[in-house]
Amino acid sequence: KQEVTQIPAALSVPEGENLVLNCSFTDSAIYNLQWFRQDPGKGLTSLLLIQSSQREQTSGRLNASLDKSSGRSTLYIAASQPGDSATYLCALDTGTASKLTFGTGTRLQVTL
Amino acid sequence: GAVVSQHPSRVICKSGTSVKIECRSLDFQATTMFWYRQFPKQSLMLMATSNEGSKATYEQGVEKDKFLINHASLTLSTLTVTSAHPEDSSFYICSATARGRFTEAFFGQGTRLTVV
């Protein structure tokens, strides 16, 4: 059974800092990996999707990497802003019709 | 990306009543829809997978008679929480995909259910 862990569980940084969120998974047989953002009481916003054959994806200030052999993905956020404050979730698609296994989440707070 | 609409966004119901939540794919035909549940400060847990025209597949520990899922068309799936109890209070969120067309699933906005 795929288990997905995110470290740290919570993180507080001052505005402008670069930061890295970590996602670890136990089964490397994945179809793709996605990073989502969730604001309190809201749904999910997809940030980046990395296919199994890819090593990284970039969108604006966000960069996500994937290392299947070590069972890890990282989400790098450059020049953090207060508007980045949210919970970040990684999710793995094991290839069974887009059924996702979600990580435990990292709650990020960017302070002024 | 494709758009998935979930309704209602928030519902309060009395204990013992049933509540229906709708999930619609607005601009594509969804061959598969998923229903997830999220408790406060926890991650999303998959409840069931539904394919159009067939019975839903429930994850272990999810009561199929409690959480009725209907995927009657390629653009609509419904989740009915029957005889709701306060412990059913949670955030429910659906996602939809069209395998062969998309490599990812698209999520609805979620429904906050409070049973009083």
Side-chain angles (χ1 to χ4, degrees):
Chain A
K1 179 185 174 184
Q2 179 74 271
E3 292 186 6
V4 187
T5 305
Q6 290 185 243
I7 295 173
L11 180 64
S12 181
V13 299
E15 182 180 15
E17 271 204 11
N18 303 323
L19 57 103
V20 175
L21 307 181
N22 297 291
C23 172
S24 301
F25 48 95
T26 55
D27 186 348
S28 62
I30 64 172
Y31 184 71
N32 63 45
L33 182 148
Q34 274 185 270
W35 281 92
F36 293 90
R37 168 189 174 136
Q38 185 177 32
D39 293 290
K42 303 292 185 182
L44 302 181
T45 300
S46 180
L47 299 174
L48 290 164
L49 181 147
I50 310 177
Q51 298 290 354
S52 174
S53 58
Q54 298 174 323
R55 298 280 296 185
E56 66 176 337
Q57 282 287 328
T58 298
S59 176
R61 295 183 292 110
L62 305 179
N63 176 279
S65 68
L66 174 63
D67 184 345
K68 287 199 309 177
S69 62
S70 65
R72 293 182 184 180
S73 176
T74 61
L75 178 66
Y76 174 82
I77 302 177
S80 58
Q81 304 170 358
D84 294 330
S85 299
T87 295
Y88 290 80
L89 297 162
C90 67
L92 277 68
D93 181 349
T94 55
T96 309
S98 297
K99 184 165 69 172
L100 297 180
T101 301
F102 280 84
T104 46
T106 294
R107 196 161 58 253
L108 172 66
Q109 183 175 11
V110 181
T111 58
L112 291 170
Chain B
V3 180
V4 175
S5 177
Q6 190 173 337
H7 178 80
S9 59
R10 188 181 295 268
V11 58
I12 300 173
C13 72
K14 291 185 177 180
S15 190
T17 62
S18 296
V19 174
K20 180 184 285 188
I21 302 170
E22 292 187 348
C23 180
R24 294 180 184 273
S25 56
L26 298 185
D27 52 1
F28 69 101
Q29 293 184 325
T31 51
T32 307
M33 289 186 170
F34 304 90
W35 288 95
Y36 295 83
R37 181 174 183 176
Q38 185 179 35
F39 290 106
K41 297 188 178 180
Q42 294 188 26
S43 193
L44 280 74
M45 298 296 293
L46 180 67
M47 298 175 66
T49 302
S50 74
N51 294 296
E52 186 267 337
S54 61
K55 289 184 178 180
T57 302
Y58 290 81
E59 296 298 301
Q60 192 173 10
V62 178
E63 301 175 58
K64 61 179 67 175
D65 294 330
K66 174 75 169 174
F67 300 99
L68 300 179
I69 292 171
N70 184 284
H71 191 164
S73 76
L74 282 170
T75 58
L76 174 64
S77 176
T78 60
L79 167 67
T80 301
V81 182
T82 63
S83 187
H85 290 285
E87 57 264 32
D88 298 324
S89 299
S90 190
F91 188 69
Y92 294 87
I93 190 165
C94 70
S95 71
T97 191
R99 212 44 156 185
R101 180 180 172 190
F102 300 120
T103 57
E104 63 192 294
F106 300 94
F107 283 79
Q109 308 95 316
T111 297
R112 170 72 59 194
L113 170 64
T114 303
V115 184
V116 297

